[in-house]
Amino acid sequence: MTALDLSSPVAVVGTGTMGQGIAQVALVAGHPVRLYDAAPGRAEAAAEAIGARLDRLVAKDRLSGADRDAARARLHPAAVLTDLADCMLVVEAVLEQLDAKQQLFGELEDIVEEDCLLATNTSSLSVTAIGGALRNPGRLVGLHFFNPAPLLPLVEVVSGYATDVTSATRAYELARAWGKTPVACADTPGFIVNRIARPFYAEAFAVHEAQAADPATIDAVLRESGGFRMGAFELTDLIGQDINESVTHSVWQAFFQDVRFTPSLAQRRLVESGRLGRKTGHGWYDHGDEAETAEPHNAEKAQAPAYVVAEGDLGPAADLLDLIREAGIPVRGEEEDHGTRLVLPSGGQLVLADGQTSVEFRDVVYFDLALDYRKATRIALSASQDTAARTLSEAVGLFQALGKDVSVIGDCPGMIVARTVARIVDLAHDAVAKGVATEEDIDTAMRLGVNYPLGPFEWSRRLGTNWSYDLLDELHVRDPSGRYAPSLALYRHAYATEKREGTP
């Protein structure tokens, strides 16, 4: 037997938001549920709160009245820890403090039966370290739910160094029986989602710190061009700057201060100033009652060019040629010629972000990556102080003629979406190479855990041969700190692809 029988009692220790959510999931699935909290009265209050949420589900026709009444009858606050003795699963959702979790599981070992599965919902601590203090660490597994647990489908099932395969399998099958989508993960800093998602925040903050664009513009480009549901600044304001920075700092420290995970100084200043986001009324944005909505930069209306000359294959931006023709702008030239650019009537060039900077060339405007150039409603352009005004105006007018809002940002290598996606793809390849998870589970985790429009490997296949590697390699030349150095895994992937396609 892998998943627990519905008659098996499940306990949740810790009755904060996450603990209540996990308890509700187990309860609705059909288990008897015990709630325990060390603080007097909190378990009873949590039971009342869960009951109220069940009432709301009934009001929304998502749960029948009979099922609600049966669930309420199965929910019991526990006065003391020993009340959990007959439980077959105990999920811990207490403070993110290693010693507190170790002490709790140590006490539980003396109370529950040998075949009781122990699970931690930690998001930042090592499952291996938590289990290291136990007599039998093999039955401890990570069950990392995402908030709000009743709504979000993803559960990361994390195997510590000493976790038994049978324990991990039981936890995986249990999550699936509860209607969740489990992904298997090795015990690594940040697990899957919090490890691979770091560049989404880090690159947005880095572009802002480089004075290349303001938060509202960066967020708009990530949403309207990159296809992300929210931008990095608005999302961290929603999460809480202190919480987001804490996760970033934890992953950075756990990787021995690997430069790829370096926290943002600008975010540190926000936290130090108490501007934590929506919960304090101010973060990157002002959330006060009288605050005006921050608007992204929109370029002034410009005239579309009379024609463009296509030189070479535009790769991920190849769809632009059809859009340009549909807008009534002639496309000249032979696409099979050498080069990967559009030449404007001014003689200037329009080039997809490739990790280089505009200032290195005579007259180049870069444009950012889009998830889907046809559906994108905004495009970012990047130019230097040496770029001819006519070239930039023609580039702006071209994309405006395609029905896009245009944001002009500073001369920023890799721009916004392109560098973000490339780094996410790189970390995903690195994670697979290090045995963290499979490609399929990583794609599932990033789509369901943080609502990415595509999983990293889906993105990698769409972008084509070597795209992420080449962009990061160029970025690394311009920033040799190691932040953008492509991983060995991505290098191997790019090299193997070249060999398969017969590239010398």
Side-chain angles (χ1 to χ4, degrees):
M1 180 176 66
T2 51
L4 295 181
D5 186 272
L6 288 180
S7 63
S8 301
V10 170
V12 177
V13 179
T15 57
T17 301
M18 184 58 77
Q20 291 180 32
I22 296 170
Q24 181 179 329
V25 171
L27 194 64
V28 171
H31 291 273
V33 174
R34 314 267 173 79
L35 291 172
Y36 175 79
D37 198 293
R42 288 199 63 178
E44 289 79 6
E48 289 297 323
I50 294 170
R53 283 200 289 271
L54 295 178
D55 290 339
R56 289 195 290 272
L57 291 177
V58 172
K60 295 177 181 179
D61 292 326
R62 296 178 183 174
L63 188 71
S64 70
D67 287 341
R68 177 211 40 211
D69 295 342
R72 280 179 173 269
R74 294 193 302 271
L75 181 61
H76 301 285
V80 291
L81 207 57
T82 52
D83 289 345
L84 313 183
D86 64 337
C87 291
M88 296 304 295
L89 168 68
V90 181
V91 183
E92 164 273 315
V94 302
L95 293 175
E96 285 288 272
Q97 295 175 357
L98 179 60
D99 56 351
K101 294 179 187 292
Q102 288 178 329
Q103 181 179 343
L104 171 63
F105 283 117
E107 294 174 6
L108 285 169
E109 268 197 312
D110 294 329
I111 294 171
V112 298
E113 298 293 333
E114 287 295 323
D115 56 350
C116 174
L117 185 64
L118 301 178
T120 173
N121 184 58
T122 185
S123 60
S124 61
L125 298 177
S126 164
V127 174
T128 301
I130 294 170
L134 301 181
R135 294 191 304 273
N136 178 17
R139 61 170 165 168
L140 178 71
V141 66
L143 272 180
H144 181 216
F145 289 78
F146 288 75
N147 194 29
L151 297 181
L152 294 186
L154 184 69
V155 177
E156 292 178 321
V157 181
V158 186
S159 294
Y161 186 79
T163 301
D164 291 334
V165 173
T166 53
S167 297
T169 302
R170 288 176 68 197
Y172 186 97
E173 293 300 332
L174 179 63
R176 185 155 60 181
W178 287 359
K180 297 300 181 180
T181 303
V183 291
C185 176
D187 186 21
T188 185
F191 309 143
I192 298 174
V193 172
N194 281 330
R195 172 180 177 149
I196 295 174
R198 292 350 291 163
F200 177 74
Y201 311 107
E203 293 312 307
F205 299 162
V207 171
H208 175 52
E209 289 179 20
Q211 302 294 297
D214 60 275
T217 298
I218 296 169
D219 277 353
V221 172
L222 286 169
R223 289 192 314 268
E224 300 169 34
S225 183
F228 293 95
R229 185 167 296 184
M230 298 181 73
F233 297 90
E234 58 186 336
L235 180 55
T236 53
D237 264 6
L238 178 64
I239 294 169
Q241 299 302 330
D242 53 338
I243 295 172
N244 181 261
E245 194 218 22
S246 176
V247 173
T248 298
H249 195 271
S250 174
V251 172
W252 176 61
Q253 289 284 21
F255 276 115
F256 307 106
Q257 300 185 357
D258 186 329
V259 68
R260 295 177 301 166
F261 301 100
T262 301
S264 162
L265 180 59
Q267 188 179 41
R268 174 93 292 261
R269 293 292 179 257
L270 272 187
V271 174
E272 290 174 338
S273 68
R275 294 188 169 190
L276 306 182
R278 289 185 176 275
K279 61 187 176 183
T280 61
H282 208 304
W284 296 109
Y285 299 109
D286 185 351
H287 300 283
D289 293 338
E290 305 298 323
E292 296 183 2
T293 302
E295 298 293 338
H297 171 270
N298 286 318
E300 293 184 4
K301 185 67 177 176
Q303 185 173 353
Y307 64 88
V308 297
V309 179
E311 294 188 352
D313 179 6
L314 294 182
D319 288 348
L320 279 177
L321 296 180
D322 286 339
L323 294 177
I324 293 170
R325 293 187 184 99
E326 291 168 15
I329 300 173
V331 177
R332 301 177 181 176
E334 298 295 331
E335 295 172 33
E336 62 268 18
D337 284 352
H338 294 296
T340 55
R341 57 189 174 268
L342 296 174
V343 180
L344 300 165
S346 65
Q349 300 175 23
L350 188 57
V351 181
L352 175 62
D354 59 6
Q356 301 182 80
T357 56
S358 180
V359 75
E360 300 171 48
F361 304 97
R362 184 183 64 83
D363 197 11
V364 166
V365 173
Y366 278 105
F367 65 95
D368 207 351
L369 180 69
L371 173 69
D372 184 327
Y373 283 96
R374 185 172 293 277
K375 295 180 180 178
T377 57
R378 180 177 301 274
I379 294 293
L381 301 180
S382 174
S384 75
Q385 66 272 20
D386 297 329
T387 303
R390 180 185 170 189
T391 297
L392 180 58
S393 178
E394 288 177 341
V396 170
L398 174 65
F399 282 103
Q400 288 176 339
L402 305 186
K404 318 297 184 187
D405 289 326
V406 177
S407 295
V408 179
I409 69 171
D411 190 13
C412 183
M415 301 193 68
I416 298 170
V417 179
R419 69 199 285 180
T420 299
V421 171
R423 288 207 58 215
I424 289 170
V425 167
D426 182 49
L427 288 187
H429 277 279
D430 185 54
V432 170
K434 290 183 167 65
V436 173
T438 65
E439 291 185 9
E440 181 181 3
D441 276 357
I442 287 175
D443 276 356
T444 298
M446 302 313 291
R447 282 189 286 102
L448 298 184
V450 278
N451 290 311
Y452 283 5
L454 293 174
F457 292 98
E458 293 173 310
W459 233 320
S460 183
R461 289 187 290 272
R462 177 182 287 199
L463 292 171
T465 306
N466 303 358
W467 186 87
S468 294
Y469 177 85
D470 290 344
L471 185 140
L472 290 176
D473 196 39
E474 293 289 357
L475 273 168
H476 179 53
V477 170
R478 287 150 187 82
D479 179 358
S481 65
R483 178 188 182 103
Y484 300 103
S487 67
L488 180 59
L490 190 63
Y491 172 79
R492 284 173 170 156
H493 169 74
Y495 183 73
T497 303
E498 285 186 349
K499 288 183 67 177
R500 286 194 300 271
E501 297 181 356
T503 305

